[in-house]
Amino acid sequence: MNIFRDPRWGRGQETYGEDPTLTGRLGVAFVKGLQGPDPQHLKVAACAKHFAVHSGPEKLRHEFNAVASPQDLQETYLPAFKQLVDANVEAVMCAYNATNGEPCCGNTYLLQDVLRKQWGFRGHIVSDCWALVDFYQGHKVVKTPAEAAALALQRGVNLNCGSVYPYLPEAVKKGLTTEAQMDSSLAILLRTKFKLGLFDAPGSSPYDKLSTDVINSPKHRALAREAAQKSIVLLKNNGVLPLRNDLAKYFVTGPNAANLDALLGNYYGVNPEMKTILEGLVAGVSPASQMQYRPGALLDRPNQNGVDWVSGTARTSDATFVVLGINGLLEGEEGESIASPSFGDRLDYNLPQNQIDFLRGLRKNNQQPLVAIITGGSPMNLAEVHELADAVVLAWYPGQEGGNAVADIVFGKVSPSGKLPITFPKSLDQLPAYESYGMLGRTYRYMTQEPLYPFGYGLSYAKFEYGTLKLPKKAAKNKPVEVEATVRNTGKMAGEEVVQLYLTHTPRQGQQIPRYALKNFRRVALQPGASTTVKFTLTPEQLALIDAQGKSVAPTGR
């Protein structure tokens, strides 16, 4: 549920992007899917993490203090967590870092004042794994494991992922905590276990009938494919896409074409049928067509022998797909990204130089269509890729059916409809310092410089036109506002559009007010020539502004 406030963060791939409205909406949907519709019988207990104000640097996370103003807390860092609490998420995980001077797993303001008292959270709080060790090794707020255990218990951590709570008996003997306090914390955990049916007779839970037959079932594979299709973002298209799938000769190349890692983000399961991008493209062309493949380049270093086996093939092919980008070797969680010199963070915003050189070689003296397919979980500098390729397809880490989904897009089986959940700056020079958690200058809401690709951007094979936005002539204070617009597909292909509603308030001298703020969105499917009217209701809460003290205030002005 963390906000992807800076593209340098290697774990940003695990988030829903840089916007709190988007993050909360998708997070709530995930919680409902995981837990099921019956609050007394949970399918699984979902856990919202990392509470709160947590988004790098990875290398410093065990000792870092993230400083956030009251306004940034209430406007940016906390809203998505509150939405999940309102949706009855069963667990919340506190983060490694400190926020405003206290470790998150011992933070009175976050765990007691906000989570328990203001929001009324009744589920359990779990530490990030070994975060309580950071109390004495990183943050140094206590000296011993027993003191760390007592402090975390007192501040409201019910469950310790790690090695510190076995010291609770010692803490009791030393008078640092009490058995009664342990019992009351345990009672909260037992409530979750009762909801999960762990004390019920076999067969009494509504989920006991679920069998392993559903795992990797055709229905679920189809859903994985659809999710990937709808996530892929078309960044550029000079008219070459969609390609016919029955051309005489295709060529696939690039370090991530046949790479399984390019399908998988952080925290993944493996599958007996992982569809690489190469496999998807091969399956997507006509049996009468020829498709050749050579990797052509390494992920992040020059080819050792300097022999060019690919550019000639690209020039004689009817179309070339070059699969570039990054993967989990270069970005991810602390220590997981074994090729990253910066603990998984991406302090170099550029693609590896050898990939750019490779693309230049493919483009040289080549007039045939060149389609760049980019993998990765975070923004990267694609300026030269955009310039050299005829089309740029951002596939992210598209999962087990990723290759098939990419083929569905490039051959026009479906129209691309994904939109960017994060701004792609032109360079890191456009951003504040990575360690700064202030929002000014960050994300589409506060960034004043022109980005490479804006938040919410994504092309389609359909063509959508918007009618006039209808608004009431005057909005009453503390009353909802109805807005609507007609969207029409004037193109020749069916497609889906994500209609996005943004709000802009009149800027005021000396006040921090977002330039734009996403308030709602809806996906609509339209056949050629069809139209639909999309209506949104802006609630008083959505219309409000957050002031410097973190208070919600009704707006005035336009």
Side-chain angles (χ1 to χ4, degrees):
M1 287 300 102
N2 299 118
I3 297 299
F4 197 178
R5 67 183 173 93
D6 193 298
R8 285 166 278 209
W9 187 34
R11 295 186 78 180
Q13 57 178 291
E14 297 179 38
T15 75
Y16 291 117
E18 69 185 25
D19 181 78
T21 296
L22 175 67
T23 300
R25 262 278 281 283
L26 295 179
V28 165
F30 205 153
V31 168
K32 287 181 176 178
L34 288 168
Q35 295 191 166
D38 182 351
Q40 297 309 313
H41 296 91
L42 297 178
K43 193 165 25 172
V44 298
C47 177
K49 67 180 196 178
H50 311 81
F51 192 67
V53 198
H54 172 86
S55 53
E58 279 298 291
K59 186 177 180 180
L60 304 177
R61 63 185 185 170
H62 302 288
E63 59 196 47
F64 185 73
N65 178 38
V67 178
S69 70
Q71 178 173 348
D72 287 339
L73 276 172
Q74 299 300 329
E75 185 182 83
T76 299
Y77 294 116
L78 296 181
F81 284 99
K82 183 178 188 302
Q83 285 190 50
L84 265 65
V85 170
D86 290 343
N88 296 315
V89 69
E90 186 64 19
V92 170
M93 178 186 281
C94 47
Y96 290 117
N97 59 282
T99 291
N100 292 340
E102 282 193 314
C104 290
C105 288
N107 195 300
T108 302
Y109 174 74
L110 289 176
L111 301 186
Q112 294 301 320
D113 298 347
V114 173
L115 191 57
R116 292 296 190 196
K117 293 174 186 173
Q118 291 179 25
W119 296 354
F121 176 64
R122 285 180 50 78
H124 71 263
I125 298 171
V126 57
S127 76
D128 205 338
C129 295
W130 284 269
L132 302 190
V133 173
D134 295 340
F135 280 18
Y136 51 92
Q137 287 189 356
H139 303 297
K140 295 183 166 44
V141 293
V142 296
K143 292 181 180 177
T144 68
E147 290 172 328
L151 177 63
L153 189 71
Q154 179 200 347
R155 298 290 164 86
V157 176
N158 308 109
L159 184 62
N160 172 216
C161 176
S163 57
V164 167
Y165 270 13
Y167 288 88
L168 278 171
E170 180 184 328
V172 172
K173 286 177 185 173
K174 291 183 174 179
L176 301 172
T177 188
T178 65
E179 230 175 292
Q181 195 158 14
M182 289 169 62
D183 286 345
S184 62
S185 189
L186 176 63
I188 294 171
L189 285 178
L190 290 174
R191 279 208 298 264
T192 300
K193 290 194 168 194
F194 280 119
K195 289 179 187 177
L196 288 167
L198 298 179
F199 300 113
D200 295 345
S204 57
S205 165
Y207 302 112
D208 284 349
K209 63 181 181 294
L210 284 173
S211 76
T212 55
D213 294 344
V214 301
I215 299 172
N216 202 36
S217 62
K219 181 181 176 183
H220 289 180
R221 292 199 70 89
L223 186 60
R225 187 168 181 163
E226 181 188 355
Q229 290 168 350
K230 292 182 177 180
S231 300
I232 290 168
V233 183
L234 182 61
L235 297 175
K236 177 189 176 179
N237 184 21
N238 68 4
V240 301
L241 294 182
L243 272 171
R244 285 170 46 190
N245 78 333
D246 60 352
L247 300 174
K249 183 180 177 184
Y250 300 89
F251 182 44
V252 184
T253 187
N256 282 339
N259 191 331
L260 280 179
D261 292 328
L263 302 179
L264 305 167
N266 279 10
Y267 291 92
Y268 52 81
V270 289
N271 187 284
E273 297 177 64
M274 303 296 296
K275 296 298 182 184
T276 64
I277 293 172
L278 172 63
E279 290 172 307
L281 292 171
V282 172
V285 298
S286 163
S289 300
Q290 180 192 120
M291 183 170 278
Q292 291 190 344
Y293 162 71
R294 289 192 188 93
L298 299 168
L299 181 69
D300 64 340
R301 61 185 189 274
N303 298 357
Q304 298 302 307
N305 60 23
V307 177
D308 178 7
W309 279 85
V310 295
S311 59
T313 308
R315 284 193 291 271
T316 58
S317 298
D318 294 298
T320 293
F321 301 103
V322 54
V323 189
L324 305 172
I326 54 179
N327 61 34
L329 292 174
L330 296 175
E331 68 169 350
E333 189 170 2
E334 173 201 32
E336 278 289 298
S337 305
I338 56 177
S340 167
S342 47
F343 288 72
D345 283 337
R346 293 193 58 248
L347 304 185
D348 183 349
Y349 187 55
N350 300 308
L351 283 182
Q353 186 59 43
N354 68 299
Q355 294 192 32
I356 299 297
D357 295 340
F358 179 60
L359 183 61
R360 286 178 188 149
L362 290 171
R363 180 84 280 177
K364 189 175 180 180
N365 300 322
N366 181 5
Q367 300 303 312
Q368 299 294 83
L370 182 58
V371 178
I373 298 165
I374 308 297
T375 70
S378 56
M380 58 200 94
N381 182 7
L382 299 177
E384 197 159 0
V385 176
H386 190 101
E387 183 182 323
L388 291 168
D390 296 297
V392 182
V393 177
L394 181 61
W396 306 106
Y397 297 129
Q400 65 193 45
E401 283 285 329
N404 287 332
V406 167
D408 293 338
I409 294 290
V410 297
F411 295 124
K413 204 170 182 179
V414 295
S415 176
S417 59
K419 306 291 184 182
L420 291 180
I422 184 164
T423 303
F424 277 50
K426 289 180 178 175
S427 77
L428 297 181
D429 294 337
Q430 293 185 314
L431 302 176
Y434 181 23
E435 291 79 8
S436 167
Y437 271 73
M439 289 307 298
L440 281 180
R442 290 195 183 286
T443 76
Y444 79 94
R445 288 182 304 137
Y446 286 110
M447 188 174 168
T448 57
Q449 300 178 69
E450 184 184 12
L452 180 65
Y453 303 113
F455 176 89
Y457 171 80
L459 303 176
S460 173
Y461 301 150
K463 186 179 180 184
F464 299 104
E465 291 185 0
Y466 286 73
T468 305
L469 185 69
K470 291 184 181 177
L471 289 162
K473 288 185 178 177
K474 192 173 182 183
K477 192 173 180 178
N478 296 322
K479 297 289 184 183
V481 172
E482 303 286 338
V483 296
E484 66 176 70
T486 299
V487 185
R488 184 181 301 276
N489 181 0
T490 60
K492 297 177 180 177
M493 183 172 176
E496 294 187 358
E497 170 74 332
V498 181
V499 181
Q500 303 161 48
L501 177 66
Y502 294 85
L503 200 60
T504 297
H505 286 291
T506 309
R508 295 183 197 163
Q509 192 74 29
Q511 283 191 305
Q512 177 181 312
I513 295 178
R515 299 174 68 239
Y516 314 95
L518 180 72
K519 295 299 176 181
N520 213 327
F521 55 93
R522 186 171 305 149
R523 180 180 281 266
V524 296
L526 292 172
Q527 294 294 321
S531 65
T532 187
T533 299
V534 179
K535 297 181 181 181
F536 292 114
T537 300
L538 279 163
T539 65
E541 184 182 47
Q542 289 173 315
L543 288 161
L545 287 166
I546 305 297
D547 67 14
Q549 286 71 49
K551 302 294 184 188
S552 178
V553 292
T556 57
R558 285 171 60 81

